[in-house]
């Protein structure tokens, strides 16, 4: 049996650990583990982009069912990160410019003023019909945009437009290899928005909840899910499903409870506190509803505000208002 030259080099380096020459074989490179540890120790640790959920240089996915507010949260995070001084690309394959303006303006047609560091990218559909391998072309175009804008963060909304066959393992794997190449080549922080297929209303979010092949989940370093409460339809929650940087902050026992509000021009997820995921997925019976109303009125008699009552009962302020009027 013939042995490749690369194998000979590898064996020589193992026998001769002081030999500084690098070892490579095609796509693979070999380095003594202690050397790698030493190199990484000299680098600055990555800063949080969204504390407890997503850090610099990570490839992340944000997923949830239709109409749960994924795009609203993605834009909220994009503007928040851009406002901190980083250049951010928001690749919007969901809304037209007119629809986007309508969402981020008021009745007087006054638009919200975003951070100047935030760039929106949209798809030219006339060119879309002319290209051959769409996935390869769009990834290369995104690389060019990143280079032109010197972007440090990219958010792609959504995965479906990048791969229509994401439920098939081979297609999903090729797409993720291209995304990882974009992510690593430019040393950029990446967030991909994705969907969740139809699922039981009382099922907790996990890695299997994201639409597409399970192979997709294996490529992401971070997975963040948005769920809906079955107790109060206005309540959403954010859950860290996969987080490799450290211990999970916002797992099943500590999800972030939110509601979507739009006080003027900018809809956003308003944080209401944290709670256990299971408390938001309970079935509501008539008795439980009566008990909630009684608890709400007792808390009001103690002098608590509607917001404080909402935090205690894990529901929206609107529901508290209705219960107090019941």
């Amino acid at each position: 049996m013939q042995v490749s030259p690369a194998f000979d080099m590898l064996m020589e380096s193992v026998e001769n650990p002081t030999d500084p020459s690098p070892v490579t074989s095609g796509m693979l490179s070999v380095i003594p583990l202690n050397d790698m540890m030493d190199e990484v120790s000299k680098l600055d640790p990555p800063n949080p982009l969204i504390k407890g959920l997503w850090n610099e240089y990570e490839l992340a996915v944000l997923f949830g069912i239709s109409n749960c507010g994924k795009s609203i949260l993605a834009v909220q995070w994009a503007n928040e990160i851009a406002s901190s001084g980083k250049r951010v690309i928001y690749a919007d394959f969901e809304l037209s410019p007119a629809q986007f303006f309508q969402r981020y303006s008021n009745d007087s047609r006054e638009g919200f003023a975003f951070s100047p560091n935030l760039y929106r990218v949209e798809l030219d559909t006339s060119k879309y019909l002319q290209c051959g391998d769409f996935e390869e072309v769009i990834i290369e175009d995104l690389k060019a945009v990143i280079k032109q804008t010197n972007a440090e963060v990219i958010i792609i909304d959504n995965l479906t437009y990048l791969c229509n066959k994401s439920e098939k393992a081979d297609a999903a794997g090729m797409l993720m290899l291209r995304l990882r190449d974009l992510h690593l080549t430019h040393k950029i922080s990446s967030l991909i928005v994705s969907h969740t297929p139809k699922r039981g209303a009382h099922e907790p979010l996990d890695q299997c909840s994201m639409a597409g092949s399970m192979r997709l989940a294996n490529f992401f370093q971070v997975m963040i899910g948005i769920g809906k409460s079955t107790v109060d339809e206005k309540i959403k929650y954010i859950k860290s499903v996969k987080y490799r940087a450290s211990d999970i902050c916002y797992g099943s026992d500590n999800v972030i409870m939110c509601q979507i509000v739009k006080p003027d021009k900018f809809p956003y997820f308003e944080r209401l506190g944290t709670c256990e995921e299971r408390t938001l997925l309970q079935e509501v019976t008539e008795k439980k509803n009566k008990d909630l109303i009684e608890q709400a009125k007792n808390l009001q008699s103690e002098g608590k505000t509607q917001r404080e009552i909402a935090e205690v009962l894990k529901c929206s302020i609107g529901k508290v208002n209705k219960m107090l009027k019941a």
Side-chain angles (χ1 to χ4, degrees), residues 247-264:
D247 293 337
I248 289 180
C249 297
Y250 300 111
S252 300
D253 58 346
N254 193 45
V255 299
I256 303 172
M257 190 172 59
C258 309
Q259 63 180 353
I260 297 175
V261 296
K262 186 180 179 180
D264 184 24

Side-chain angles (χ1 to χ4, degrees), residues 192-314:
I192 316 298
V193 180
S194 183
H195 292 299
T196 295
K198 289 184 178 179
R199 47 193 286 278
H202 304 286
E203 294 178 16
L205 292 169
D206 57 26
Q207 292 188 32
C208 297
S209 301
M210 189 177 72
S213 166
M214 264 302 293
R215 191 170 176 182
L216 281 172
N218 296 331
F219 282 95
F220 288 110
Q221 299 162 318
V222 169
M223 297 181 71
I224 306 162
I226 301 178
K228 283 185 175 182
S229 169
T230 60
V231 179
D232 184 345
E233 62 181 14
K234 290 185 178 180
I235 291 294
K236 313 285 190 296
Y237 68 91
I238 301 169
K239 178 182 180 182
S240 185
V241 175
K242 181 178 179 182
Y243 187 63
R244 289 179 174 172
S246 62
D247 293 337
I248 289 180
C249 297
Y250 300 111
S252 300
D253 58 346
N254 193 45
V255 299
I256 303 172
M257 190 172 59
C258 309
Q259 63 180 353
I260 297 175
V261 296
K262 186 180 179 180
D264 184 24
K265 308 165 191 171
F266 189 80
Y268 68 96
F269 275 62
E270 179 186 39
R271 181 168 174 160
L272 300 175
T274 59
C275 66
E276 293 185 42
E277 183 180 22
R278 62 183 179 84
T279 65
L280 300 175
L281 302 178
Q282 296 174 346
E283 293 189 43
V284 180
T285 63
E286 187 176 349
K287 183 179 183 305
K288 283 182 181 176
N289 200 43
K290 287 181 179 178
D291 289 344
L292 280 173
I293 292 172
E294 186 176 349
Q295 288 180 58
K297 291 187 175 180
N298 287 338
L299 290 167
Q300 184 187 43
S301 66
E302 293 172 9
K304 294 191 178 295
T305 65
Q306 290 191 10
R307 179 176 292 277
E308 290 170 335
I309 296 170
E311 290 178 4
V312 172
L313 300 183
K314 312 301 181 190

Side-chain angles (χ1 to χ4, degrees), residues 88-141:
V88 181
I89 290 173
Y90 177 66
D92 188 358
F93 302 144
E94 281 280 331
L95 300 180
S96 68
Q99 291 169 329
F100 191 92
F101 179 83
Q102 184 176 4
R103 176 174 287 179
Y104 293 96
S105 60
N106 57 21
D107 293 338
S108 302
R109 292 191 60 77
E110 297 169 329
F112 178 78
F114 288 92
S115 166
N117 291 321
L118 180 55
Y119 301 84
R120 180 178 176 272
V121 172
E122 66 178 53
L123 187 65
D124 186 335
T125 53
S126 64
K127 294 180 180 177
Y128 167 85
L129 298 172
Q130 298 169 9
C131 67
D133 187 339
F134 171 72
E135 293 168 28
E136 183 178 358
V137 171
I138 196 69
I139 293 294
E140 290 304 313
D141 287 348

Side-chain angles (χ1 to χ4, degrees), residues 3 8 18 29 49 52 61 79 87 99-100 121 139 162 166 169 174 179 189 212 229 248 268 289 295 298 301 307:
V3 179
D8 288 336
T18 56
S29 61
L49 295 171
V61 63
N79 193 59
R87 290 176 296 282
Q99 291 169 329
F100 191 92
V121 172
I139 293 294
L162 294 182
S166 59
M174 182 54 66
L179 282 174
S189 310
S229 169
I248 289 180
Y268 68 96
N289 200 43
Q295 288 180 58
N298 287 338
S301 66
R307 179 176 292 277

Side-chain angles (χ1 to χ4, degrees), residues 42-203:
K42 297 171 184 175
L43 302 175
D44 293 330
N47 295 311
L49 295 171
I50 303 299
K51 192 173 181 180
L53 291 170
W54 178 31
N55 294 331
E56 287 178 321
Y57 315 123
E58 290 177 334
L59 177 57
V61 63
L62 173 67
F63 65 91
I65 61 173
S66 295
N67 299 317
C68 70
K70 297 185 296 294
S71 295
I72 289 174
L73 184 58
V75 172
Q76 178 180 339
W77 284 356
N79 193 59
E80 182 179 327
I81 295 167
S83 297
S84 72
K86 294 186 181 296
R87 290 176 296 282
V88 181
I89 290 173
Y90 177 66
D92 188 358
F93 302 144
E94 281 280 331
L95 300 180
S96 68
Q99 291 169 329
F100 191 92
F101 179 83
Q102 184 176 4
R103 176 174 287 179
Y104 293 96
S105 60
N106 57 21
D107 293 338
S108 302
R109 292 191 60 77
E110 297 169 329
F112 178 78
F114 288 92
S115 166
N117 291 321
L118 180 55
Y119 301 84
R120 180 178 176 272
V121 172
E122 66 178 53
L123 187 65
D124 186 335
T125 53
S126 64
K127 294 180 180 177
Y128 167 85
L129 298 172
Q130 298 169 9
C131 67
D133 187 339
F134 171 72
E135 293 168 28
E136 183 178 358
V137 171
I138 196 69
I139 293 294
E140 290 304 313
D141 287 348
L142 286 172
K143 286 181 181 179
V145 170
I146 291 168
K147 188 174 181 180
Q148 291 166 15
T149 59
N150 291 318
E152 300 160 275
V153 179
I154 185 168
I155 297 176
I156 301 174
D157 188 4
N158 66 57
L159 187 65
T160 305
Y161 279 85
L162 294 182
C163 184
N164 292 325
K165 298 178 181 178
S166 59
E167 74 284 352
K168 296 183 179 179
D170 290 344
M174 182 54 66
L175 169 66
M176 291 310 303
L177 285 173
R178 285 169 171 163
L179 282 174
R180 280 180 66 85
D181 178 55
L182 177 150
H183 174 77
L184 295 172
T185 300
H186 294 276
K187 296 180 175 59
I188 196 168
S189 310
S190 311
L191 178 71
I192 316 298
V193 180
S194 183
H195 292 299
T196 295
K198 289 184 178 179
R199 47 193 286 278
H202 304 286
E203 294 178 16

